[in-house]
Amino acid sequence: MVLVGPAGAGKSVLGRAVAARTGRRFVDLDAVADPYYAQAGWSVDRLRERIALVGRLAAEAEWEPARAHAVACAVADHGDAVLALGAGHTSYADPAHLATARAALDRCREVVRVLPSADRDTALAVLRERCAADKGRSWIVDGHDFLAHWLDDPGTELLATRTVFTERETPAETAARLGGAADR
């Protein structure tokens, strides 16, 4: 099972709960991606340097090949795990990079897009609240609203086999709902 969605959606918390419930390992791509980025000639330090030079939005576009490569490698290396992909790992401006991620994720039985609510405004408000509380970030950078971008991104929806709304559920309740799908 692969969990995708915007920052603050609860992918990591939910992924750990599903993994514990199903006896699988949990892998957060954000935590293991550095070697994959290096294979593609990138690093988080290089990303920071590019952000300082060209701005966050342009640097994210430059970094797309490394993110798509990381998705492909993580799926190949951790196919037996519950895998959470950071928001940028499913959001691409270049269709070729989206196609790379899609080819990798097409091998996965279940790619679940996690959102706090079916209502866009409610979902965005919850995401903003969580990101501010958990990481002290608004995700509005250089005038670009990354949370809204990730929430509205059609590529993320395209990559998912289904969307799960977590409103009014604890992570344990959502994990119970998803646990049966992970066992199939």
Side-chain angles (χ1 to χ4, degrees):
M1 176 177 286
V2 179
L3 302 174
V4 300
K11 300 175 300 289
S12 295
V13 171
L14 185 56
R16 284 184 193 91
V18 171
R21 183 175 184 79
T22 60
R24 295 174 188 254
R25 290 178 309 114
F26 170 69
V27 176
D28 187 332
L29 181 54
D30 287 343
V32 302
D34 287 344
Y36 303 139
Y37 298 151
Q39 291 169 3
W42 274 85
S43 68
V44 173
D45 286 339
R46 180 177 175 200
L47 174 63
R48 287 185 188 113
E49 290 169 9
R50 296 302 299 155
I51 290 169
L53 287 173
V54 300
R56 181 74 189 233
L57 192 58
E60 289 282 337
E62 293 175 4
W63 191 35
E64 283 189 7
R67 292 196 322 263
H69 176 76
V71 171
C73 290
V75 168
D77 292 349
H78 305 287
D80 60 337
V82 176
L83 178 63
L85 304 184
H89 290 103
T90 58
S91 181
Y92 301 96
D94 186 324
H97 302 134
L98 179 62
T100 298
R102 185 174 190 179
L105 292 171
D106 277 350
R107 295 191 301 266
C108 301
R109 224 177 334 192
E110 185 95 69
V111 180
V112 180
R113 188 175 97 175
V114 180
L115 295 175
S117 174
D119 178 75
R120 183 195 182 277
D121 292 339
T122 300
L124 192 54
V126 170
L127 295 170
R128 285 196 198 293
E129 181 181 304
R130 289 178 183 170
C131 287
D134 295 344
K135 297 193 170 118
R137 296 197 68 168
S138 71
W139 282 108
I140 298 174
V141 182
D142 300 333
H144 183 77
D145 188 340
F146 281 91
L147 276 180
H149 176 99
W150 292 325
L151 179 62
D152 299 335
D153 187 77
T156 304
E157 187 173 359
L158 176 70
L159 295 173
T161 57
R162 69 177 167 140
T163 299
V164 170
F165 302 104
T166 60
E167 60 192 334
R168 294 184 291 278
E169 284 185 332
T170 66
E173 290 169 332
T174 305
R177 198 162 40 111
L178 292 175
D183 288 333
R184 283 185 252 146

